[in-house]
Amino acid sequence: EMQLVESGGGLVQAGGSLRLSCASSGRTFDDYTLGWFRQAPGKEREGVSCISTEDGSTAYADSVQGRFTISSDTAKDTVYLQMNSLKPEDTAIYYCASTYGVGCAYYSLTSYYNYWGQGTQVTVSS
């Protein structure tokens, strides 16, 4: 069993930055695929980014490409999402998720993942 805990959310002005963290307990991140999702009120959960700790490959949604950067520290069993140039439309609850192996080819599918964190709120004011 893997437990995921997100942190780092908060309130920021448009154009600002936040770094989200997702820490694992119970199992290490080795050979896992980690994804970040977000869900705004009244909208479906959408895939934001993904990283494979097996081969280091990454993927990003078009809406965040060039502004967000995903990274992982397997020694700390933590995955990060650096979010720059934030926009009001980035406001959402952000979740991390994990699954063993598989890579990022289908990262935006929620059914791809076995474990989910509880989410952290990100609010971007205009």
Side-chain angles (χ1 to χ4, degrees):
E1 186 78 15
M2 175 182 279
Q3 291 81 42
L4 302 173
V5 179
E6 303 95 335
S7 61
L11 173 64
V12 64
Q13 288 188 331
S17 298
L18 284 173
R19 188 177 81 155
L20 304 183
S21 300
C22 174
S24 167
S25 62
R27 291 187 181 179
T28 70
F29 272 171
D30 290 348
D31 299 328
Y32 270 74
T33 295
L34 289 308
W36 282 100
F37 285 75
R38 65 187 181 187
Q39 188 166 19
K43 295 188 177 181
E44 293 187 353
R45 192 168 297 190
E46 65 170 341
V48 173
S49 186
C50 171
I51 186 166
S52 167
T53 63
E54 185 175 21
D55 62 11
S57 59
T58 60
Y60 296 92
D62 290 343
S63 59
V64 306
Q65 181 77 47
R67 299 188 298 121
F68 292 8
T69 303
I70 192 169
S71 61
S72 66
D73 185 339
T74 54
K76 296 181 178 180
D77 291 327
T78 300
V79 63
Y80 304 98
L81 186 68
Q82 178 66 44
M83 307 186 296
N84 298 329
S85 302
L86 283 162
K87 304 174 181 180
E89 51 263 44
D90 294 317
T91 295
I93 299 174
Y94 283 70
Y95 300 89
C96 69
S98 69
T99 187
Y100 185 77
V102 302
C104 292
Y106 304 101
Y107 80 96
S108 63
L109 299 177
T110 57
S111 58
Y112 207 50
Y113 300 88
N114 301 117
Y115 303 104
W116 291 83
Q118 83 291 346
T120 186
Q121 176 71 48
V122 171
T123 303
V124 184
S125 63
S126 58

